[in-house]
């Protein structure tokens, strides 16, 4: 008998590496409170839950999109001497104020206004290879773990890496 065959283990399951104590938010939470929560817990995304059901996902990328300020036009513009003295500094000041306002506005928006509603999920009994394939295919960093429609965990790329490496970081 081949010695290698005796060392082959069953595939690692999602339940082996997922985080069971899932931090969530509600659709009605404001973005500022979710940013604070994400910062305090050192997480980059969380499920949005309402009435015991996962209704969305909010991530750092969703929040960053709120802060994106449109770039000035790439067309060539040669200012006159008067514009150099007055108009350019005024335009820069106006752009700075728009950025400040967008940061303020972002904080009071609700999670519902920025969350992604198409939540990808996986079963705790699925192999981590399936979870990894889903993440790569859909270019996401995390999946909610559902059993009988209920949230039982979350699995991230980091969880998979730590699981494969034999270390548990949580």
């Amino acid at each position: 008998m081949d010695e290698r065959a005796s060392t082959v283990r069953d595939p690692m399951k999602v339940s082996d590496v997922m985080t069971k104590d899932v931090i969530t938010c509600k659709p009605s939470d404001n973005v500022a409170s979710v940013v604070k929560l994400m910062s305090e817990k050192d997480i980059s995304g969380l499920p949005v839950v309402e009435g015991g059901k996962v209704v969305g996902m909010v991530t750092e990328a969703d929040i960053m999109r709120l802060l994106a300020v449109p770039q000035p036009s790439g067309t060539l513009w040669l200012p006159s001497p008067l514009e150099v003295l007055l108009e350019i500094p005024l335009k820069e000041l106006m752009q700075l104020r728009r950025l400040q306002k967008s940061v303020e506005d972002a904080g009071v928006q609700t999670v519902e206004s920025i969350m992604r509603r198409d939540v990808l999920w996986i079963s705790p009994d699925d192999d981590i290879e399936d979870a990894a394939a889903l993440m790569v295919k859909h270019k996401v960093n995390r999946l909610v773990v559902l059993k009988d429609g209920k949230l039982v965990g979350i699995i991230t790329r980091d969880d998979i890496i730590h699981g494969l490496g034999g270390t548990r970081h949580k």
Side-chain angles (χ1 to χ4, degrees):
M1 181 174 158
D2 188 357
E3 285 183 32
R4 289 177 292 172
S6 64
T7 61
V8 173
R9 297 186 311 182
D10 290 331
M12 193 175 291
K13 300 291 181 191
V14 168
S15 60
D16 296 331
V17 298
M18 72 183 192
T19 299
K20 293 177 178 114
D21 188 18
V22 184
I23 299 165
T24 65
C25 66
K26 298 178 292 203
S28 59
D29 289 344
N30 67 46
V31 171
S33 67
V34 170
V35 166
K36 184 176 183 203
L37 178 64
M38 290 168 72
S39 176
E40 288 171 352
K41 301 295 184 177
D42 194 28
I43 54 176
S44 60
L46 54 154
V48 183
V49 177
E50 186 170 48
K53 183 179 177 192
V54 177
V55 295
M57 180 71 72
V58 65
T59 67
E60 289 174 335
D62 301 321
I63 294 164
M64 295 300 288
R65 275 191 286 281
L66 284 176
L67 303 177
V69 177
Q71 294 298 317
S73 156
T75 58
L76 182 61
W77 168 61
L78 298 174
S80 70
L82 184 59
E83 287 174 318
V84 169
L85 292 175
L86 298 174
E87 200 169 325
I88 292 176
L90 185 59
K91 283 182 181 181
E92 289 175 358
L93 180 62
M94 289 172 54
Q95 187 172 8
L96 177 61
R97 288 212 173 125
R98 276 195 304 272
L99 177 60
Q100 289 170 331
K101 176 123 177 67
S102 77
V103 169
E104 290 168 10
D105 291 347
V108 297
Q109 286 192 44
T110 62
V111 168
E112 185 172 33
S113 69
I114 66 165
M115 70 182 192
R116 294 184 179 232
R117 286 170 172 74
D118 55 335
V119 180
L120 295 171
W121 64 276
I122 196 158
S123 165
D125 300 322
D126 287 335
D127 296 341
I128 63 170
E129 289 85 0
D130 297 330
L134 262 175
M135 289 179 195
V136 170
K137 178 180 178 184
H138 294 281
K139 298 178 182 157
V140 297
N141 295 332
R142 70 202 50 77
L143 301 169
V144 294
V145 184
L146 302 179
K147 184 168 186 151
D148 300 324
K150 292 191 174 222
L151 179 66
V152 295
I154 192 164
I155 185 168
T156 65
R157 290 176 183 224
D158 195 45
D159 294 329
I160 293 171
I161 298 300
H162 282 278
L164 291 174
T167 61
R168 186 72 189 157
H169 60 96
K170 293 181 177 137

